[in-house]
Amino acid sequence: MKEITQKMRDTARELLSSGQVALVLGWEKGYPWYKSAPTFIDKVEDVERLVFDEFCHNNLSKYLLDLAAVDGKVALFVKGCDSRGVNRLIQDNQVKREQLYIIGIPCPGLKDPDDAAGKNWGDEINGAVKCQDCRFPNPVVYDLLLGEKVPAVERGRETRELIERLEKMKPDERYEFWAGQFNRCIRCYACRNICPACNCRECVFDRAVPEWLGKANNLVENQFMQLTRAIHVAGRCIECGECERACPVNIPLMALNRKIINDIEELFGEEPAGLDPEKKTPLGRFELDDPEKFM
Amino acid sequence: MKRVGVFICHCGTNIAQTVDCEKVAKMAGGLPQVAFSTDYKYMCSEPGQQVIINAVKEHRLDRVVVASCSPRMHEPTFRKTLEKAGLNPYLLEMANIREQCSWVHQDKEKGTAKAFDLVKMAVAKVLKNEPLSRSSIPIHKRALVIGGGIAGIQAALDIADAGYVVDIVEKEPTIGGRMAQIDKTFPTMDCSACILTPKMVDAASNPNINLLTYCEVEKVDGYVGNFDVTIRHKARSVDMNKCTGCGTCWEKCPTRVASEFDMGLGTRKAIYTPFPQAVPNKPVIDRENCLYFKTGKCGVCQKVCPTGAVDYTQEDRLETVRYGAIVVATGFDLFDESVYGEYGYGRYPDIISGLHFERMINASGPTMGKIKRPSDHTEPKTVVFVKCVGSRDEAKGKPYCSKTCCMYTAKHATLVREKIKDSQAIVFYMDVRTPGKNYDEFYQRAVNEYGVQYVRGRVSKIYQSHGKLIVRGEDTLLGRPVEVEADMVVLATAMVARGDAGELARKLGISYDQHDFFTEAHPKLRPVETHTAGVYLAGTCQGPKDIPDSVAQASAAAAKVCALLSREEMPTEPVVSAVNEAVCSGCGLCISICPYKAIELKTISERVHGKTRERQVASVNTGLCQGCGACTVACRSGALNLKGFTNEQILAEVDALCL
């Protein structure tokens, strides 16, 4: 990882000093030690802040939405999941590929910051839940790749086990489960704010006219918000798991997203989102041989 | 404060017997902002409409709710009423208390309660209605007819007679279609060619009609009044301007292949016209079978052509033409009778379809009008006809009735008895359906005067034995099995939609049913229109029809086209999508979802952080938009809103019901 960090700095220095890009999006060491935060670098002397370690969770593609006013190209570092986020935004016509310089980092799988809390550097730390069944650890789009590609490995099955458990439940039990989860939701919208599939200019939850969602924090409104969110990212979720990681009350959002992904793949064939920026998403296009199992 | 008027219709007893209309009117009077409410026996009648007009004036109403039947039925009626009363016609809301209430419920008390709920929702919605105004689009005065059969020819002639230019696109080298393949026509026994070919010639010689034969529709863009249609002119390999149709080329051509026009019973050359009366009477080269195109050798037709019209280098050519209206008249195919393995079609040569029989009995057909067994060319003495092969058979064929088979089978049987004096004609039937003018008389004549035997029952098996076809079935009237030794069997096969009907429907943006027949906008009230404005239907592409029906419908479609083309401009429907550009992120999902290709991206400039930035947003073409609302549902941001059915309006309805 030290080696990757060094390469990141070298690359960023070269890109900035040669004027190829105006801004570099990366990660820097945060506080406490098990947090690495996004950083925005536009001066050569700042490149030493860049790091890549096992806590670089943030999907940097999301920040591209805020960079409309940057003149010139933007360089960003992407892990496998982040690279699908970039394709996701290109697919939604939010950024143009030619405005980006994408530097890929094959991802070895990240660590769980919650587990690291209270531990020291060098202690044994559990892998992050979001990386457990990562299918694309290597970037799917890049201009430059740092390091050797890594194989996809299964590191656990927490989310899948939860889905299996939920699928076996009776509808009432399942409702109870999710009602329990959504009851805890504080509607902080962290899940939405961090998601690269949530790229509306104005979120429906924020609109005053019509007021789709009331301001009161209760189960009904929370459920409405969470289910709307899940449906809005359906077919477009790139499985970066950021929503679940960002959730301060630990709602297993990826179980919901992952279940929808499974269903879509079962219905329309293997079609992970964000692989092909040219192709419309399975729920955004119509084909004559689409299955109509509900009819 | 808005002033809503509520008008409850009894619809005679249609609504009144399940809904206490007076009570609903009284309750509606108590709703907020309702200034007047009443009930009336027939709201759509002239005095009924007068009740609305008077109330609007007397009570200074600015919004109207009519609780009656489906808006599909009478929304236009009541919009006009509002206009007469001096209100914007879109300040009307209808509550469907007939189809959605009285017709589906029996309990009057509950029915009344539901009717009130529906009225309550309509009042909530109408309060959010905004006046909408129509704009207008120009009409391009040229029509396209797709398909050059009898329906297409008739439609083109009628449109041309009204003074408009019309193009007929026909994929075959000649117009004429299925009717040209038919010998005699029921019930008058007119020779088909005698009544069709003059019409074909009329079409060819009419200065307002352009025949685009051997052409196909490649792509359709645009909208009513302004369709941009790309037509593929297939390489004919013959220069139409130079060719005189002298026929030397096809006489000398050494290649013989089965003739599609003669249903494979006869042959044609590789350079050919499908039949002698073809219009235009100029040949095409069938490149798949032509020796020159296959081997590079031959070239006889080019050598013998006195005008040098044969041109092997021709290529397909695309041409885009703008039309105001389109008539679809693409006709039908025949059901694949080989599905019925037990009938032995394809295994025994003497089992033929009705259309084979037509070619065989035709004087200019492959047998010069003689009825001959295809196997040994002898005259059959016993001919069995099997009806409903494919029709009315959900298990193997199509569930619908093909409409023409009863009549053409009676015709065929009559012709057998007429042409072969000592013959026997036996018809196996399920029902005999003769609902046309003089049709039953025709059938009775076949039975009584020509002695055609009708046996009621489905044929279970046909097999060959000692040169005879053994037809096994059941006489369900006598309740016993029958077995007939036949020399020839004619299967009355079902009419099915063209194999490429679905593809054409998608190009045109029109809908089709489960059998691929194109669907009309309304089976009773708009039978020749499609849901796409400016596209009309004629003939069997819509469903099985006989010649009179096809011609009548073609003329009806032509009348619709003429009514459209007679206008310089037409008003557009204001119930279309609108984009809130501030909210639109330009993802373009609405573009792929729009069935009418009405949305595209446009670039706008805006100020971001003190700099001018360009970004893309969706833009609705109000001429193309049909107000279906698919985009409004697809848009995650809610940037698209359907005027007249805005999110605010729908939510007001939901709130009225639920809160």
Side-chain angles (χ1 to χ4, degrees):
Chain A
M1 293 224 161
K2 280 224 170 83
E3 199 184 324
I4 297 278
T5 299
Q6 195 49 52
K7 280 187 188 164
M8 283 169 81
R9 292 173 182 170
D10 293 346
T11 311
R13 187 178 296 112
E14 193 198 317
L15 289 171
L16 283 170
S17 57
S18 66
Q20 282 184 71
V21 302
L23 185 75
V24 175
L25 261 174
W27 302 274
E28 66 180 344
K29 206 58 223 140
Y31 176 84
W33 64 273
Y34 49 82
K35 303 265 182 191
S36 295
T39 188
F40 303 77
I41 292 173
D42 58 1
K43 289 195 261 322
V44 177
E45 51 270 34
D46 290 341
V47 297
E48 293 303 318
R49 281 179 15 212
L50 288 168
V51 294
F52 183 73
D53 65 12
E54 282 153 330
F55 298 101
C56 291
H57 290 282
N58 283 70
N59 185 339
L60 299 179
S61 64
K62 175 78 184 188
Y63 297 95
L64 295 174
L65 290 170
D66 300 328
L67 300 178
V70 173
D71 284 315
K73 272 192 170 188
V74 174
L76 80 160
F77 294 94
V78 293
K79 308 182 290 288
C81 49
D82 308 353
S83 71
R84 293 169 67 194
V86 174
N87 272 345
R88 166 94 298 291
L89 295 174
I90 294 172
Q91 223 169 17
D92 273 358
N93 205 15
Q94 298 303 299
V95 286
K96 295 211 160 33
R97 176 68 180 89
E98 56 270 22
Q99 288 170 342
L100 305 175
Y101 188 91
I102 305 168
I103 307 150
I105 299 175
C107 176
L110 306 179
K111 297 287 184 210
D112 184 359
D114 290 344
D115 189 48
K119 291 185 182 173
N120 290 317
W121 181 258
D123 289 354
E124 186 70 23
I125 299 162
N126 289 339
V129 177
K130 72 177 211 165
C131 303
Q132 279 186 350
D133 50 353
C134 172
R135 295 187 283 178
F136 298 93
N138 295 301
V140 296
V141 58
Y142 51 82
D143 296 303
L144 180 73
L145 189 67
L146 304 183
E148 294 293 310
K149 287 195 177 179
V150 293
V153 282
E154 191 185 308
R155 298 187 181 87
R157 17 182 317 120
E158 208 173 299
T159 305
R160 273 181 294 163
E161 270 161 13
L162 177 57
I163 294 171
E164 281 159 23
R165 198 148 58 82
L166 286 165
E167 279 172 341
K168 284 195 195 104
M169 287 181 186
K170 291 195 187 77
D172 285 350
E173 291 171 345
R174 199 151 52 223
Y175 180 85
E176 279 307 312
F177 174 85
W178 284 114
Q181 298 292 339
F182 296 147
N183 234 342
R184 290 184 289 124
C185 173
I186 55 171
R187 294 245 297 281
C188 65
Y189 294 128
C191 52
R192 171 193 77 184
N193 294 352
I194 208 153
C195 175
C198 277
N199 51 29
C200 289
R201 285 172 64 81
E202 187 184 359
C203 178
V204 286
F205 303 142
D206 296 337
R207 287 188 77 172
V209 183
E211 193 185 27
W212 294 105
L213 182 67
K215 296 285 177 272
N217 190 339
N218 55 37
L219 179 60
V220 173
E221 308 273 15
N222 292 356
Q223 269 174 332
F224 177 79
M225 176 257 160
Q226 285 295 355
L227 296 180
T228 306
R229 187 206 61 82
I231 294 298
H232 276 202
V233 304
R236 301 159 66 249
C237 169
I238 48 130
E239 309 164 71
C240 66
E242 284 290 83
C243 49
E244 187 172 308
R245 182 185 66 87
C247 179
V249 293
N250 298 323
I251 298 173
L253 292 169
M254 278 312 285
L256 209 51
N257 294 338
R258 189 69 227 187
K259 166 70 177 150
I260 295 175
I261 291 167
N262 291 349
D263 288 352
I264 288 174
E265 290 189 1
E266 189 186 307
L267 280 167
F268 302 103
E270 187 94 7
E271 198 155 12
L275 293 189
D276 181 357
E278 298 301 318
K279 205 169 173 185
K280 285 277 170 198
T281 54
L283 301 188
R285 61 169 198 263
F286 166 73
E287 272 159 26
L288 285 165
D289 55 356
D290 277 347
E292 293 179 314
K293 287 192 175 170
F294 54 94
M295 287 179 89
Chain B
M1 188 70 175
K2 285 159 187 157
R3 298 179 65 81
V4 181
V6 180
F7 301 86
I8 315 290
C9 180
H10 294 223
C11 197
T13 54
N14 265 319
I15 294 171
Q17 70 179 3
T18 331
V19 171
D20 186 341
C21 297
E22 207 180 322
K23 192 175 166 193
V24 174
K26 221 172 257 160
M27 285 156 78
L31 288 170
Q33 313 200 45
V34 171
F36 176 77
S37 70
T38 188
D39 58 315
Y40 191 77
K41 195 148 190 166
Y42 291 105
M43 217 73 231
C44 60
S45 67
E46 206 195 337
Q49 294 187 52
Q50 200 56 48
V51 168
I52 299 177
I53 296 170
N54 293 344
V56 167
K57 294 192 172 143
E58 217 171 289
H59 299 275
R60 290 176 292 112
L61 303 178
D62 55 14
R63 274 161 174 74
V64 169
V65 169
V66 179
S68 58
C69 52
S70 155
R72 281 190 82 154
M73 187 80 168
H74 276 312
E75 195 165 48
T77 312
F78 291 117
R79 279 186 182 157
K80 277 186 199 132
T81 312
L82 258 68
E83 256 179 327
K84 279 185 215 155
L87 288 180
N88 181 291
Y90 294 89
L91 295 173
L92 165 79
E93 210 47 59
M94 285 182 76
N96 186 349
I97 60 167
R98 193 178 75 174
E99 282 90 329
Q100 291 176 2
C101 188
S102 69
W103 277 1
V104 288
H105 296 290
Q106 277 102 42
D107 188 324
K108 193 162 183 174
E109 205 171 304
K110 286 181 182 166
T112 305
K114 180 170 175 184
F116 179 62
D117 278 344
L118 293 171
V119 170
K120 207 161 63 172
M121 286 164 72
V123 170
K125 185 176 175 212
V126 85
L127 288 170
K128 300 266 183 190
N129 278 19
E130 298 282 340
L132 301 178
S133 55
R134 292 161 172 262
S135 57
S136 65
I137 46 173
I139 301 286
H140 197 81
K141 292 176 185 282
R142 187 185 183 108
L144 170 68
V145 174
I146 307 174
I150 182 58
I153 292 171
Q154 184 64 46
L157 284 171
D158 289 345
I159 297 166
D161 284 347
Y164 302 108
V165 176
V166 48
D167 295 353
I168 300 180
V169 166
E170 168 59 54
K171 68 177 178 191
E172 298 297 331
T174 171
I175 57 168
R178 291 287 181 202
M179 187 175 166
Q181 287 181 283
I182 295 170
D183 179 50
K184 298 267 190 300
T185 57
F186 57 78
T188 51
M189 284 300 206
D190 280 320
C191 150
S192 182
C194 309
I195 53 177
L196 175 68
T197 41
K199 275 200 182 285
M200 290 162 64
V201 175
D202 279 355
S205 56
N206 192 311
N208 279 341
I209 299 180
N210 301 306
L211 295 185
L212 309 176
T213 52
Y214 215 48
C215 289
E216 279 178 44
V217 170
E218 185 87 2
K219 200 170 103 191
V220 181
D221 284 328
Y223 49 96
V224 57
N226 302 277
F227 293 106
D228 289 315
V229 181
T230 308
I231 297 161
R232 174 179 292 275
H233 294 256
K234 294 186 277 187
R236 219 180 162 100
S237 315
V238 171
D239 187 328
M240 290 284 276
N241 296 326
K242 289 184 187 162
C243 175
T244 60
C246 70
T248 316
C249 55
W250 68 76
E251 274 165 27
K252 301 290 182 203
C253 174
T255 310
R256 273 187 184 278
V257 290
S259 156
E260 300 85 0
F261 186 80
D262 282 336
M263 302 296 289
L265 292 173
T267 58
R268 61 162 172 83
K269 299 296 184 64
I271 183 164
Y272 71 105
T273 58
F275 57 102
Q277 305 95 321
V279 173
N281 193 24
K282 295 177 183 181
V284 297
I285 293 181
D286 157 20
R287 292 188 171 185
E288 267 175 33
N289 292 304
C290 169
L291 269 183
Y292 180 84
F293 282 98
K294 271 175 26 185
T295 63
K297 292 174 193 133
C298 187
V300 168
C301 49
Q302 195 173 44
K303 276 175 217 140
V304 300
C305 178
T307 60
V310 176
D311 177 5
Y312 298 128
T313 63
Q314 260 189 15
E315 278 177 19
D316 284 11
R317 182 166 61 84
L318 293 178
E319 181 193 17
T320 303
V321 187
R322 176 163 286 197
Y323 298 101
I326 299 175
V327 177
V328 189
T330 48
F332 67 98
D333 276 338
L334 281 179
F335 183 75
D336 176 14
E337 52 275 72
S338 60
V339 166
Y340 289 81
E342 67 270 33
Y343 290 176
Y345 179 85
R347 224 173 326 146
Y348 311 124
D350 297 335
I351 300 173
I352 61 175
S353 76
L355 207 54
H356 285 103
F357 187 86
E358 294 284 352
R359 292 316 301 150
M360 192 184 275
I361 199 105
N362 190 285
S364 60
T367 58
M368 306 298 169
K370 297 267 186 312
I371 304 174
K372 288 178 179 173
R373 280 158 52 109
S375 60
D376 55 7
H377 299 279
T378 57
E379 199 175 56
K381 296 298 173 195
T382 306
V383 182
V384 165
F385 295 88
V386 183
K387 293 211 291 189
C388 296
V389 179
S391 308
R392 306 173 65 205
D393 182 358
E394 201 142 5
K396 246 187 284 187
K398 303 285 180 183
Y400 55 82
C401 166
S402 288
K403 196 167 181 181
T404 57
C405 334
C406 280
M407 289 301 290
Y408 77 63
T409 299
K411 176 184 78 178
H412 291 171
T414 302
L415 287 167
V416 166
R417 292 282 292 143
E418 193 178 87
K419 294 226 173 181
I420 308 168
K421 288 299 165 217
D422 53 346
S423 65
Q424 224 190 342
I426 302 161
V427 179
F428 280 89
Y429 72 102
M430 304 295 294
D431 285 312
V432 177
R433 299 181 170 183
T434 55
K437 188 176 176 182
N438 292 331
Y439 282 15
D440 201 60
E441 293 87 328
F442 182 86
Y443 156 62
Q444 293 300 342
R445 202 166 65 222
V447 177
N448 298 330
E449 286 179 31
Y450 287 88
V452 176
Q453 285 172 273
Y454 273 72
V455 182
R456 188 178 184 282
R458 217 181 243 288
V459 170
S460 60
K461 193 172 174 60
I462 305 173
Y463 61 97
Q464 207 166 21
S465 173
H466 304 295
K468 292 275 188 185
L469 291 165
I470 314 295
V471 181
R472 227 186 242 173
E474 197 192 1
D475 187 329
T476 53
L477 295 181
L478 294 175
R480 65 177 181 217
V482 259
E483 203 167 84
V484 181
E485 281 192 5
D487 299 308
M488 195 166 89
V489 174
V490 183
L491 305 178
T493 45
M495 264 192 203
V496 298
R498 289 276 184 195
D500 57 357
E503 203 183 315
L504 181 67
R506 286 190 292 281
K507 281 178 194 166
L508 288 161
I510 60 176
S511 50
Y512 51 101
D513 64 18
Q514 69 268 45
H515 309 299
D516 284 0
F517 287 119
F518 302 140
T519 29
E520 59 285 333
H522 188 286
K524 293 186 192 72
L525 300 178
R526 294 171 68 198
V528 304
E529 290 157 271
T530 65
H531 280 298
T532 301
V535 180
Y536 306 93
L537 301 176
T540 51
C541 62
Q542 187 196 12
K545 283 187 187 67
D546 55 17
I547 296 167
D549 282 1
S550 298
V551 170
Q553 197 195 11
S555 289
K560 291 277 176 191
V561 169
C562 292
L564 175 67
L565 298 189
S566 68
R567 290 187 277 187
E568 292 301 322
E569 288 185 324
M570 71 172 282
T572 58
E573 188 55 48
V575 180
V576 292
S577 270
V579 183
N580 181 348
E581 291 181 358
V583 176
C584 176
S585 66
C587 73
L589 185 64
C590 49
I591 297 170
S592 53
I593 235 87
C594 176
Y596 304 100
K597 302 180 196 118
I599 309 181
E600 50 190 22
L601 286 179
K602 69 169 182 188
T603 305
I604 57 164
S605 303
E606 61 180 13
R607 300 283 289 171
V608 182
H609 301 309
K611 290 176 193 161
T612 303
R613 290 282 155 188
E614 284 190 338
R615 69 180 180 95
Q616 290 186 302
V617 291
S619 161
V620 177
N621 181 328
T622 53
L624 281 172
C625 176
Q626 303 287 316
C628 73
C631 55
T632 64
V633 199
C635 181
R636 284 179 294 272
S637 321
L640 284 150
N641 226 344
L642 186 62
K643 290 182 191 168
F645 294 88
T646 59
N647 291 324
E648 294 80 0
Q649 287 169 312
I650 307 285
L651 284 174
E653 281 187 292
V654 175
D655 286 350
L657 188 68
C658 302
L659 293 185

